[in-house]
Amino acid sequence: MGGQILAFLLQTVFGLFVYLALMRFFMQVFRAPFRNPVGQFVMALTDWAVVPLRKVIPSVGGYDVASLVLAWLAQLVLLVLLYALVLQVGAGNLPVMVLLQSVIELLRASLQLLMFVVIIQVVLSWVSPHHPLMGVFDALSRPFCNLFRRVIPPIGNVDLSPLFVIVLAQVLLIVLDNLPRALLLGGG
């Protein structure tokens, strides 16, 4: 029971930090405004780690790679701690698997963050289209929705592109769920 509680607490704290670092990275990539409560919250909770990391990892092509590396490092530390907590037997390829799983988990977190952003953007567009946070969520979801808007016109004045983004993200999550098993078994 104590191990489950510790695992839950580790997943909660590190998971939140991974999402925050990813949010910071994606807000910069998609030029989402930071002068709002969401941007200030993300900056306040990640600055302590991103700012020193930028001294070691410079931005590349205008992208804040330090935020992405921070998200990956947090995910990697979480996995190492979880494996240390529950691992009963040693495995020769464990370091490689942990590195691979950390990348897969980072992709999974990115897809889950995308789905969350799209849902919030849709709800805000229905309830309060001029809400101050609308700019952030619109900037983060627009590039993905635009992929579908080009080929799927609105039906009855309803934009179905967010639905297709969420469905595609879910399909990709299923692929990611089966990827470690497929790599271990050599295909499948």
Side-chain angles (χ1 to χ4, degrees):
M1 182 171 78
Q4 287 177 321
I5 293 170
L6 184 57
F8 167 73
L9 293 174
L10 287 171
Q11 289 172 328
T12 301
V13 171
F14 279 89
L16 175 64
F17 195 70
V18 167
Y19 285 117
L20 289 171
L22 284 173
M23 184 77 160
R24 181 179 180 132
F25 175 73
F26 290 129
M27 285 179 74
Q28 291 174 347
V29 166
F30 297 117
R31 309 283 187 243
F34 274 91
R35 292 191 179 266
N36 56 62
V38 170
Q40 292 171 355
F41 179 75
V42 168
M43 296 288 282
L45 291 179
T46 57
D47 260 355
W48 67 272
V50 172
V51 172
L53 200 55
R54 280 188 185 151
K55 294 176 183 173
V56 180
I57 302 170
S59 61
V60 176
Y63 298 116
D64 183 24
V65 179
S67 295
L68 184 59
V69 169
L70 179 64
W72 176 72
L73 287 173
Q75 186 65 56
L76 184 63
V77 168
L78 171 62
L79 289 173
V80 167
L81 290 173
L82 289 175
Y83 275 115
L85 185 64
V86 298
L87 190 63
Q88 301 297 325
V89 293
N93 62 354
L94 186 62
V96 173
M97 289 307 298
V98 169
L99 288 173
L100 176 64
Q101 188 176 359
S102 66
V103 171
I104 291 170
E105 291 299 323
L106 202 59
L107 291 171
R108 181 190 322 279
S110 296
L111 289 169
Q112 290 168 338
L113 187 62
L114 173 63
M115 290 188 308
F116 175 77
V117 164
V118 168
I119 290 168
I120 295 297
Q121 189 271 334
V122 166
V123 170
L124 280 178
S125 73
W126 293 339
V127 176
S128 181
H130 302 293
H131 193 278
L133 297 179
M134 189 64 171
V136 174
F137 294 112
D138 186 54
L140 292 171
S141 64
R142 186 181 328 112
F144 301 99
C145 290
N146 282 346
L147 294 172
F148 292 101
R149 286 181 183 135
R150 292 182 189 136
V151 294
I152 302 168
I155 299 171
N157 260 350
V158 175
D159 179 16
L160 296 178
S161 62
L163 176 65
F164 285 96
V165 169
I166 291 170
V167 167
L168 179 61
Q170 285 287 353
V171 167
L172 292 173
L173 283 170
I174 292 169
V175 170
L176 288 176
D177 282 342
N178 292 302
L179 190 59
R181 187 177 316 119
L183 291 174
L184 280 176
L185 298 177

